Structure formats: structure tokens, C-alpha cells
Amino acid sequence: MGIRPFFFGCGSVGAVVEQRGSASRQTQVADIQGVQRIRDLIDRTVQGMGYEAIDVEFAASGLLRVFIDRLAPEGTEPDPITIEDCERVSHQLGHLFTVENVDYERLEVSSPGLDRPLLTAAHFRRFAGQQIRIKLRQTFRGRRQYSGLLTVEDDGRFGLELTEAIEPGAGGPRRHPPRVGKRQAPGPKSAEARPTGEKLTFSLDELDSARLVPRIDFRRQA
């Protein structure tokens, strides 16, 4: 098994552990039931170890990627995933796949990165108050991508307190158009994003994707 560092932007270091598995005997796992079975096995195993399987990818040449994060109560921010965490999970999954006769060529376990995806309602509730970037399934007022501060709404939907993002090469601030209403309370400010005073609300089935906007504290690094 080889271990190598995996670098995210702005100098933040995450981790990837890569492991060689059994050679594919006839065909790679391709059917929906087989894929779901493997996902369920991974979910149960890593949860028992105190982690969450953020995503599972079946890549070319038999590569199986598993992205993990620590389990944490809603509203709390867990410690970053380390190489040791990835190595521990990789060892356990390698043993599990042998016992369960799972075909794969290579297993890669890594942290989700600073721009980790938000895939479930629990993810959205956990990261309420943080800045995220979403992509809508359908165009709204001429665009599909918006960014802002994530909120949890009373009706089971979620909200985005829209911001003006200063993007390199954009020639200055660009205002994201609102979808509905005014936001109820000011959110935290940063050097790169300012609240516009407007909010977009959405349900998860209206989203194509959602990710955290990476937060870098330069004062801590100084």
C-alpha cells in the first residue's frame, strides 16, 4: 500500500491513501444493485469508525474512490481528516472487500477537500451559516450558479443569503440576482463576499450541485 500527500489550494494539506486491491476477474461492478451494495457496505463500515462517506466514485480501470469526513453534530465543525484517518479507513475497507468478495483494482481514500460537496439535507443543516456555491438544475433569471450564506428555512427548504462576489478579472463586484424576498438577519462578512440583503430559497431536488466555498484564515497562517 502506498501513501502520498494530496494538496488542496492555498497551501492547505489533505490526505489520500491508495491501496492495491484484487484484480478484476471478469467485469467491473456496473449494475445498479451491485453499486448500491458496495455503497451500503462502505457507509456502515466508516460510520462504525466515526466517519462519514461523503461520496463514493467508481472510476476507470477499477479505481474505487472513497471521500470521508468525521461525523459531527449539526452546527459543529470537525477536525480535518488526516493521512492517518485515511490509512485507517483504507485498511478496514480493504479487509471488508476481501471478506465480501468485492472486485476492485485500486482503493483510494481521501478527505473531501476545502470545497467539499453538500449532498444530503443533513449536510446542509450541518453547514448552516457558512458560504456555499450552488448550481440549479434549471436556469433562473438567466443563470444557474449562485453563492451566498446557507440558511435552514422553517418549511424544510434551505436558503441562500446572496452575496456580491469579487472575482479575479471580473472588473469589480458582480451582483447575483435574487430569487425571492429579503433576508431576515445579516450574516457574517468576509473580505471577498458581502451580503446583498436578498435571499434565494430552494429545495434539494432543484439543485444540480452544491459545495462549500473554501475559507482561508490568513491571520492564523501568519
Side-chain angles (χ1 to χ4, degrees), residues 92-123:
Q92 187 66 26
L93 290 181
H95 176 69
L96 172 73
F97 294 160
T98 298
V99 172
E100 296 290 339
N101 197 29
V102 173
D103 265 346
Y104 70 102
E105 288 284 348
R106 290 183 296 133
L107 170 64
E108 185 179 277
V109 178
S110 70
S111 55
L114 296 178
D115 61 340
R116 61 157 285 168
L118 306 183
L119 304 175
T120 67
H123 291 169

PDB file of all heavy atoms in Angstrom, residues 92-123:
ATOM      1  N   GLN A  92      -9.336  -0.917   6.794  1.00  0.00           N
ATOM      2  CA  GLN A  92     -10.590  -1.576   7.159  1.00  0.00           C
ATOM      3  C   GLN A  92     -11.413  -1.937   5.928  1.00  0.00           C
ATOM      4  O   GLN A  92     -11.990  -3.026   5.842  1.00  0.00           O
ATOM      5  CB  GLN A  92     -11.400  -0.670   8.091  1.00  0.00           C
ATOM      6  CG  GLN A  92     -12.644  -1.314   8.678  1.00  0.00           C
ATOM      7  CD  GLN A  92     -12.304  -2.465   9.613  1.00  0.00           C
ATOM      8  OE1 GLN A  92     -11.226  -2.510  10.204  1.00  0.00           O
ATOM      9  NE2 GLN A  92     -13.228  -3.411   9.749  1.00  0.00           N
ATOM     10  N   LEU A  93     -11.468  -1.018   4.955  1.00  0.00           N
ATOM     11  CA  LEU A  93     -12.239  -1.297   3.744  1.00  0.00           C
ATOM     12  C   LEU A  93     -11.578  -2.407   2.923  1.00  0.00           C
ATOM     13  O   LEU A  93     -12.266  -3.239   2.313  1.00  0.00           O
ATOM     14  CB  LEU A  93     -12.384  -0.029   2.902  1.00  0.00           C
ATOM     15  CG  LEU A  93     -13.290   1.056   3.477  1.00  0.00           C
ATOM     16  CD1 LEU A  93     -13.357   2.243   2.529  1.00  0.00           C
ATOM     17  CD2 LEU A  93     -14.691   0.530   3.770  1.00  0.00           C
ATOM     18  N   GLY A  94     -10.246  -2.423   2.889  1.00  0.00           N
ATOM     19  CA  GLY A  94      -9.555  -3.484   2.165  1.00  0.00           C
ATOM     20  C   GLY A  94      -9.897  -4.853   2.734  1.00  0.00           C
ATOM     21  O   GLY A  94     -10.137  -5.818   1.987  1.00  0.00           O
ATOM     22  N   HIS A  95      -9.925  -4.951   4.050  1.00  0.00           N
ATOM     23  CA  HIS A  95     -10.313  -6.213   4.703  1.00  0.00           C
ATOM     24  C   HIS A  95     -11.775  -6.540   4.404  1.00  0.00           C
ATOM     25  O   HIS A  95     -12.119  -7.693   4.101  1.00  0.00           O
ATOM     26  CB  HIS A  95     -10.094  -6.098   6.208  1.00  0.00           C
ATOM     27  CG  HIS A  95     -10.550  -7.291   6.985  1.00  0.00           C
ATOM     28  ND1 HIS A  95      -9.926  -8.516   6.927  1.00  0.00           N
ATOM     29  CD2 HIS A  95     -11.611  -7.455   7.834  1.00  0.00           C
ATOM     30  CE1 HIS A  95     -10.559  -9.385   7.698  1.00  0.00           C
ATOM     31  NE2 HIS A  95     -11.583  -8.772   8.256  1.00  0.00           N
ATOM     32  N   LEU A  96     -12.647  -5.544   4.477  1.00  0.00           N
ATOM     33  CA  LEU A  96     -14.072  -5.747   4.205  1.00  0.00           C
ATOM     34  C   LEU A  96     -14.297  -6.255   2.792  1.00  0.00           C
ATOM     35  O   LEU A  96     -15.063  -7.204   2.567  1.00  0.00           O
ATOM     36  CB  LEU A  96     -14.826  -4.432   4.409  1.00  0.00           C
ATOM     37  CG  LEU A  96     -16.290  -4.417   3.977  1.00  0.00           C
ATOM     38  CD1 LEU A  96     -17.139  -5.228   4.951  1.00  0.00           C
ATOM     39  CD2 LEU A  96     -16.808  -2.981   3.895  1.00  0.00           C
ATOM     40  N   PHE A  97     -13.631  -5.644   1.813  1.00  0.00           N
ATOM     41  CA  PHE A  97     -13.824  -6.035   0.420  1.00  0.00           C
ATOM     42  C   PHE A  97     -13.346  -7.461   0.161  1.00  0.00           C
ATOM     43  O   PHE A  97     -13.893  -8.167  -0.684  1.00  0.00           O
ATOM     44  CB  PHE A  97     -13.109  -5.054  -0.506  1.00  0.00           C
ATOM     45  CG  PHE A  97     -13.689  -3.660  -0.493  1.00  0.00           C
ATOM     46  CD1 PHE A  97     -12.942  -2.581  -0.940  1.00  0.00           C
ATOM     47  CD2 PHE A  97     -14.969  -3.432  -0.031  1.00  0.00           C
ATOM     48  CE1 PHE A  97     -13.463  -1.310  -0.930  1.00  0.00           C
ATOM     49  CE2 PHE A  97     -15.513  -2.154  -0.012  1.00  0.00           C
ATOM     50  CZ  PHE A  97     -14.749  -1.089  -0.469  1.00  0.00           C
ATOM     51  N   THR A  98     -12.296  -7.880   0.870  1.00  0.00           N
ATOM     52  CA  THR A  98     -11.831  -9.260   0.738  1.00  0.00           C
ATOM     53  C   THR A  98     -12.890 -10.235   1.254  1.00  0.00           C
ATOM     54  O   THR A  98     -13.209 -11.239   0.613  1.00  0.00           O
ATOM     55  CB  THR A  98     -10.516  -9.459   1.510  1.00  0.00           C
ATOM     56  OG1 THR A  98      -9.504  -8.605   0.961  1.00  0.00           O
ATOM     57  CG2 THR A  98     -10.048 -10.911   1.419  1.00  0.00           C
ATOM     58  N   VAL A  99     -13.441  -9.916   2.428  1.00  0.00           N
ATOM     59  CA  VAL A  99     -14.456 -10.788   3.030  1.00  0.00           C
ATOM     60  C   VAL A  99     -15.730 -10.815   2.170  1.00  0.00           C
ATOM     61  O   VAL A  99     -16.350 -11.870   1.982  1.00  0.00           O
ATOM     62  CB  VAL A  99     -14.791 -10.309   4.454  1.00  0.00           C
ATOM     63  CG1 VAL A  99     -15.977 -11.081   5.024  1.00  0.00           C
ATOM     64  CG2 VAL A  99     -13.573 -10.451   5.366  1.00  0.00           C
ATOM     65  N   GLU A 100     -16.122  -9.641   1.640  1.00  0.00           N
ATOM     66  CA  GLU A 100     -17.366  -9.531   0.875  1.00  0.00           C
ATOM     67  C   GLU A 100     -17.181  -9.809  -0.615  1.00  0.00           C
ATOM     68  O   GLU A 100     -18.128  -9.682  -1.394  1.00  0.00           O
ATOM     69  CB  GLU A 100     -17.962  -8.126   1.054  1.00  0.00           C
ATOM     70  CG  GLU A 100     -18.378  -7.811   2.480  1.00  0.00           C
ATOM     71  CD  GLU A 100     -19.595  -8.611   2.911  1.00  0.00           C
ATOM     72  OE1 GLU A 100     -20.338  -9.094   2.014  1.00  0.00           O
ATOM     73  OE2 GLU A 100     -19.814  -8.744   4.131  1.00  0.00           O
ATOM     74  N   ASN A 101     -15.956 -10.184  -1.018  1.00  0.00           N
ATOM     75  CA  ASN A 101     -15.663 -10.536  -2.408  1.00  0.00           C
ATOM     76  C   ASN A 101     -16.014  -9.402  -3.377  1.00  0.00           C
ATOM     77  O   ASN A 101     -16.674  -9.598  -4.395  1.00  0.00           O
ATOM     78  CB  ASN A 101     -16.418 -11.811  -2.801  1.00  0.00           C
ATOM     79  CG  ASN A 101     -15.865 -12.449  -4.058  1.00  0.00           C
ATOM     80  OD1 ASN A 101     -14.673 -12.320  -4.360  1.00  0.00           O
ATOM     81  ND2 ASN A 101     -16.719 -13.120  -4.813  1.00  0.00           N
ATOM     82  N   VAL A 102     -15.571  -8.193  -3.040  1.00  0.00           N
ATOM     83  CA  VAL A 102     -15.799  -7.013  -3.884  1.00  0.00           C
ATOM     84  C   VAL A 102     -14.632  -6.865  -4.856  1.00  0.00           C
ATOM     85  O   VAL A 102     -13.468  -6.857  -4.457  1.00  0.00           O
ATOM     86  CB  VAL A 102     -15.933  -5.732  -3.021  1.00  0.00           C
ATOM     87  CG1 VAL A 102     -16.007  -4.499  -3.907  1.00  0.00           C
ATOM     88  CG2 VAL A 102     -17.167  -5.844  -2.136  1.00  0.00           C
ATOM     89  N   ASP A 103     -14.951  -6.770  -6.148  1.00  0.00           N
ATOM     90  CA  ASP A 103     -13.926  -6.584  -7.180  1.00  0.00           C
ATOM     91  C   ASP A 103     -13.483  -5.129  -7.259  1.00  0.00           C
ATOM     92  O   ASP A 103     -14.324  -4.226  -7.377  1.00  0.00           O
ATOM     93  CB  ASP A 103     -14.475  -7.002  -8.546  1.00  0.00           C
ATOM     94  CG  ASP A 103     -14.134  -8.429  -8.899  1.00  0.00           C
ATOM     95  OD1 ASP A 103     -13.267  -9.011  -8.225  1.00  0.00           O
ATOM     96  OD2 ASP A 103     -14.750  -8.970  -9.831  1.00  0.00           O
ATOM     97  N   TYR A 104     -12.181  -4.900  -7.232  1.00  0.00           N
ATOM     98  CA  TYR A 104     -11.634  -3.567  -7.485  1.00  0.00           C
ATOM     99  C   TYR A 104     -10.145  -3.729  -7.760  1.00  0.00           C
ATOM    100  O   TYR A 104      -9.518  -4.697  -7.330  1.00  0.00           O
ATOM    101  CB  TYR A 104     -11.871  -2.622  -6.298  1.00  0.00           C
ATOM    102  CG  TYR A 104     -11.055  -2.964  -5.056  1.00  0.00           C
ATOM    103  CD1 TYR A 104      -9.907  -2.239  -4.739  1.00  0.00           C
ATOM    104  CD2 TYR A 104     -11.435  -4.004  -4.216  1.00  0.00           C
ATOM    105  CE1 TYR A 104      -9.163  -2.558  -3.608  1.00  0.00           C
ATOM    106  CE2 TYR A 104     -10.711  -4.318  -3.087  1.00  0.00           C
ATOM    107  CZ  TYR A 104      -9.564  -3.591  -2.792  1.00  0.00           C
ATOM    108  OH  TYR A 104      -8.823  -3.907  -1.684  1.00  0.00           O
ATOM    109  N   GLU A 105      -9.576  -2.778  -8.488  1.00  0.00           N
ATOM    110  CA  GLU A 105      -8.143  -2.784  -8.768  1.00  0.00           C
ATOM    111  C   GLU A 105      -7.384  -1.967  -7.733  1.00  0.00           C
ATOM    112  O   GLU A 105      -6.365  -2.409  -7.203  1.00  0.00           O
ATOM    113  CB  GLU A 105      -7.876  -2.219 -10.168  1.00  0.00           C
ATOM    114  CG  GLU A 105      -8.297  -3.125 -11.304  1.00  0.00           C
ATOM    115  CD  GLU A 105      -7.340  -4.286 -11.512  1.00  0.00           C
ATOM    116  OE1 GLU A 105      -6.240  -4.250 -10.931  1.00  0.00           O
ATOM    117  OE2 GLU A 105      -7.699  -5.219 -12.252  1.00  0.00           O
ATOM    118  N   ARG A 106      -7.888  -0.758  -7.475  1.00  0.00           N
ATOM    119  CA  ARG A 106      -7.228   0.139  -6.517  1.00  0.00           C
ATOM    120  C   ARG A 106      -8.274   0.830  -5.660  1.00  0.00           C
ATOM    121  O   ARG A 106      -9.344   1.170  -6.143  1.00  0.00           O
ATOM    122  CB  ARG A 106      -6.376   1.192  -7.235  1.00  0.00           C
ATOM    123  CG  ARG A 106      -5.137   0.646  -7.898  1.00  0.00           C
ATOM    124  CD  ARG A 106      -4.308   1.768  -8.522  1.00  0.00           C
ATOM    125  NE  ARG A 106      -5.030   2.433  -9.592  1.00  0.00           N
ATOM    126  CZ  ARG A 106      -5.132   3.752  -9.731  1.00  0.00           C
ATOM    127  NH1 ARG A 106      -4.590   4.559  -8.833  1.00  0.00           N
ATOM    128  NH2 ARG A 106      -5.786   4.269 -10.744  1.00  0.00           N
ATOM    129  N   LEU A 107      -7.930   1.030  -4.405  1.00  0.00           N
ATOM    130  CA  LEU A 107      -8.799   1.753  -3.475  1.00  0.00           C
ATOM    131  C   LEU A 107      -8.092   3.033  -3.061  1.00  0.00           C
ATOM    132  O   LEU A 107      -6.941   3.005  -2.628  1.00  0.00           O
ATOM    133  CB  LEU A 107      -9.099   0.897  -2.239  1.00  0.00           C
ATOM    134  CG  LEU A 107      -9.804   1.604  -1.076  1.00  0.00           C
ATOM    135  CD1 LEU A 107     -11.194   2.066  -1.482  1.00  0.00           C
ATOM    136  CD2 LEU A 107      -9.873   0.674   0.141  1.00  0.00           C
ATOM    137  N   GLU A 108      -8.780   4.159  -3.205  1.00  0.00           N
ATOM    138  CA  GLU A 108      -8.214   5.452  -2.818  1.00  0.00           C
ATOM    139  C   GLU A 108      -9.160   6.109  -1.818  1.00  0.00           C
ATOM    140  O   GLU A 108     -10.329   6.338  -2.133  1.00  0.00           O
ATOM    141  CB  GLU A 108      -8.039   6.341  -4.051  1.00  0.00           C
ATOM    142  CG  GLU A 108      -7.334   7.664  -3.762  1.00  0.00           C
ATOM    143  CD  GLU A 108      -7.155   8.492  -5.017  1.00  0.00           C
ATOM    144  OE1 GLU A 108      -6.186   8.242  -5.761  1.00  0.00           O
ATOM    145  OE2 GLU A 108      -8.008   9.366  -5.268  1.00  0.00           O
ATOM    146  N   VAL A 109      -8.659   6.392  -0.619  1.00  0.00           N
ATOM    147  CA  VAL A 109      -9.448   7.032   0.434  1.00  0.00           C
ATOM    148  C   VAL A 109      -8.878   8.427   0.666  1.00  0.00           C
ATOM    149  O   VAL A 109      -7.671   8.582   0.864  1.00  0.00           O
ATOM    150  CB  VAL A 109      -9.405   6.217   1.750  1.00  0.00           C
ATOM    151  CG1 VAL A 109     -10.196   6.922   2.843  1.00  0.00           C
ATOM    152  CG2 VAL A 109      -9.953   4.813   1.520  1.00  0.00           C
ATOM    153  N   SER A 110      -9.711   9.438   0.639  1.00  0.00           N
ATOM    154  CA  SER A 110      -9.213  10.803   0.786  1.00  0.00           C
ATOM    155  C   SER A 110     -10.206  11.686   1.518  1.00  0.00           C
ATOM    156  O   SER A 110     -11.374  11.337   1.691  1.00  0.00           O
ATOM    157  CB  SER A 110      -8.902  11.423  -0.587  1.00  0.00           C
ATOM    158  OG  SER A 110     -10.092  11.668  -1.304  1.00  0.00           O
ATOM    159  N   SER A 111      -9.735  12.845   1.958  1.00  0.00           N
ATOM    160  CA  SER A 111     -10.601  13.855   2.549  1.00  0.00           C
ATOM    161  C   SER A 111     -11.380  14.551   1.438  1.00  0.00           C
ATOM    162  O   SER A 111     -10.969  14.536   0.277  1.00  0.00           O
ATOM    163  CB  SER A 111      -9.759  14.874   3.326  1.00  0.00           C
ATOM    164  OG  SER A 111      -8.764  15.422   2.487  1.00  0.00           O
ATOM    165  N   PRO A 112     -12.511  15.175   1.748  1.00  0.00           N
ATOM    166  CA  PRO A 112     -13.349  15.773   0.700  1.00  0.00           C
ATOM    167  C   PRO A 112     -12.835  17.100   0.174  1.00  0.00           C
ATOM    168  O   PRO A 112     -13.348  17.595  -0.821  1.00  0.00           O
ATOM    169  CB  PRO A 112     -14.702  15.944   1.398  1.00  0.00           C
ATOM    170  CG  PRO A 112     -14.347  16.122   2.841  1.00  0.00           C
ATOM    171  CD  PRO A 112     -13.153  15.241   3.077  1.00  0.00           C
ATOM    172  N   GLY A 113     -11.845  17.698   0.828  1.00  0.00           N
ATOM    173  CA  GLY A 113     -11.300  18.978   0.364  1.00  0.00           C
ATOM    174  C   GLY A 113     -11.992  20.172   0.983  1.00  0.00           C
ATOM    175  O   GLY A 113     -13.038  20.059   1.622  1.00  0.00           O
ATOM    176  N   LEU A 114     -11.397  21.324   0.796  1.00  0.00           N
ATOM    177  CA  LEU A 114     -11.953  22.558   1.361  1.00  0.00           C
ATOM    178  C   LEU A 114     -13.284  22.928   0.715  1.00  0.00           C
ATOM    179  O   LEU A 114     -14.112  23.587   1.331  1.00  0.00           O
ATOM    180  CB  LEU A 114     -10.948  23.705   1.190  1.00  0.00           C
ATOM    181  CG  LEU A 114      -9.618  23.562   1.933  1.00  0.00           C
ATOM    182  CD1 LEU A 114      -8.712  24.743   1.625  1.00  0.00           C
ATOM    183  CD2 LEU A 114      -9.834  23.437   3.426  1.00  0.00           C
ATOM    184  N   ASP A 115     -13.487  22.523  -0.536  1.00  0.00           N
ATOM    185  CA  ASP A 115     -14.741  22.825  -1.234  1.00  0.00           C
ATOM    186  C   ASP A 115     -15.619  21.579  -1.271  1.00  0.00           C
ATOM    187  O   ASP A 115     -16.204  21.245  -2.293  1.00  0.00           O
ATOM    188  CB  ASP A 115     -14.473  23.332  -2.651  1.00  0.00           C
ATOM    189  CG  ASP A 115     -13.744  22.301  -3.505  1.00  0.00           C
ATOM    190  OD1 ASP A 115     -13.119  21.378  -2.936  1.00  0.00           O
ATOM    191  OD2 ASP A 115     -13.805  22.415  -4.746  1.00  0.00           O
ATOM    192  N   ARG A 116     -15.749  20.919  -0.140  1.00  0.00           N
ATOM    193  CA  ARG A 116     -16.461  19.646  -0.065  1.00  0.00           C
ATOM    194  C   ARG A 116     -17.897  19.771  -0.564  1.00  0.00           C
ATOM    195  O   ARG A 116     -18.564  20.806  -0.387  1.00  0.00           O
ATOM    196  CB  ARG A 116     -16.457  19.107   1.364  1.00  0.00           C
ATOM    197  CG  ARG A 116     -17.127  20.004   2.376  1.00  0.00           C
ATOM    198  CD  ARG A 116     -17.565  19.201   3.585  1.00  0.00           C
ATOM    199  NE  ARG A 116     -18.735  18.405   3.284  1.00  0.00           N
ATOM    200  CZ  ARG A 116     -19.219  17.435   4.075  1.00  0.00           C
ATOM    201  NH1 ARG A 116     -18.617  17.145   5.191  1.00  0.00           N
ATOM    202  NH2 ARG A 116     -20.308  16.769   3.746  1.00  0.00           N
ATOM    203  N   PRO A 117     -18.407  18.732  -1.207  1.00  0.00           N
ATOM    204  CA  PRO A 117     -19.788  18.781  -1.699  1.00  0.00           C
ATOM    205  C   PRO A 117     -20.796  18.625  -0.574  1.00  0.00           C
ATOM    206  O   PRO A 117     -20.511  17.989   0.449  1.00  0.00           O
ATOM    207  CB  PRO A 117     -19.846  17.588  -2.663  1.00  0.00           C
ATOM    208  CG  PRO A 117     -18.827  16.625  -2.123  1.00  0.00           C
ATOM    209  CD  PRO A 117     -17.727  17.471  -1.565  1.00  0.00           C
ATOM    210  N   LEU A 118     -21.967  19.188  -0.753  1.00  0.00           N
ATOM    211  CA  LEU A 118     -23.107  19.003   0.137  1.00  0.00           C
ATOM    212  C   LEU A 118     -24.119  18.164  -0.627  1.00  0.00           C
ATOM    213  O   LEU A 118     -24.648  18.601  -1.654  1.00  0.00           O
ATOM    214  CB  LEU A 118     -23.707  20.349   0.539  1.00  0.00           C
ATOM    215  CG  LEU A 118     -22.747  21.375   1.147  1.00  0.00           C
ATOM    216  CD1 LEU A 118     -23.513  22.632   1.554  1.00  0.00           C
ATOM    217  CD2 LEU A 118     -21.993  20.803   2.325  1.00  0.00           C
ATOM    218  N   LEU A 119     -24.407  16.963  -0.119  1.00  0.00           N
ATOM    219  CA  LEU A 119     -25.207  16.013  -0.871  1.00  0.00           C
ATOM    220  C   LEU A 119     -26.533  15.660  -0.216  1.00  0.00           C
ATOM    221  O   LEU A 119     -27.449  15.195  -0.896  1.00  0.00           O
ATOM    222  CB  LEU A 119     -24.403  14.727  -1.100  1.00  0.00           C
ATOM    223  CG  LEU A 119     -23.049  14.910  -1.797  1.00  0.00           C
ATOM    224  CD1 LEU A 119     -22.293  13.582  -1.844  1.00  0.00           C
ATOM    225  CD2 LEU A 119     -23.242  15.460  -3.200  1.00  0.00           C
ATOM    226  N   THR A 120     -26.646  15.843   1.090  1.00  0.00           N
ATOM    227  CA  THR A 120     -27.862  15.446   1.811  1.00  0.00           C
ATOM    228  C   THR A 120     -28.386  16.612   2.638  1.00  0.00           C
ATOM    229  O   THR A 120     -27.676  17.601   2.879  1.00  0.00           O
ATOM    230  CB  THR A 120     -27.577  14.263   2.747  1.00  0.00           C
ATOM    231  OG1 THR A 120     -26.705  14.700   3.805  1.00  0.00           O
ATOM    232  CG2 THR A 120     -26.915  13.113   1.992  1.00  0.00           C
ATOM    233  N   ALA A 121     -29.636  16.464   3.096  1.00  0.00           N
ATOM    234  CA  ALA A 121     -30.217  17.502   3.952  1.00  0.00           C
ATOM    235  C   ALA A 121     -29.398  17.676   5.227  1.00  0.00           C
ATOM    236  O   ALA A 121     -29.244  18.788   5.734  1.00  0.00           O
ATOM    237  CB  ALA A 121     -31.666  17.155   4.286  1.00  0.00           C
ATOM    238  N   ALA A 122     -28.858  16.567   5.749  1.00  0.00           N
ATOM    239  CA  ALA A 122     -28.029  16.639   6.958  1.00  0.00           C
ATOM    240  C   ALA A 122     -26.775  17.475   6.708  1.00  0.00           C
ATOM    241  O   ALA A 122     -26.339  18.229   7.582  1.00  0.00           O
ATOM    242  CB  ALA A 122     -27.646  15.237   7.424  1.00  0.00           C
ATOM    243  N   HIS A 123     -26.197  17.365   5.504  1.00  0.00           N
ATOM    244  CA  HIS A 123     -25.037  18.187   5.168  1.00  0.00           C
ATOM    245  C   HIS A 123     -25.405  19.672   5.195  1.00  0.00           C
ATOM    246  O   HIS A 123     -24.659  20.504   5.727  1.00  0.00           O
ATOM    247  CB  HIS A 123     -24.513  17.827   3.779  1.00  0.00           C
ATOM    248  CG  HIS A 123     -23.897  16.471   3.690  1.00  0.00           C
ATOM    249  ND1 HIS A 123     -23.579  15.882   2.482  1.00  0.00           N
ATOM    250  CD2 HIS A 123     -23.526  15.584   4.650  1.00  0.00           C
ATOM    251  CE1 HIS A 123     -23.039  14.689   2.709  1.00  0.00           C
ATOM    252  NE2 HIS A 123     -23.003  14.495   4.017  1.00  0.00           N
TER     253      HIS A 123
END
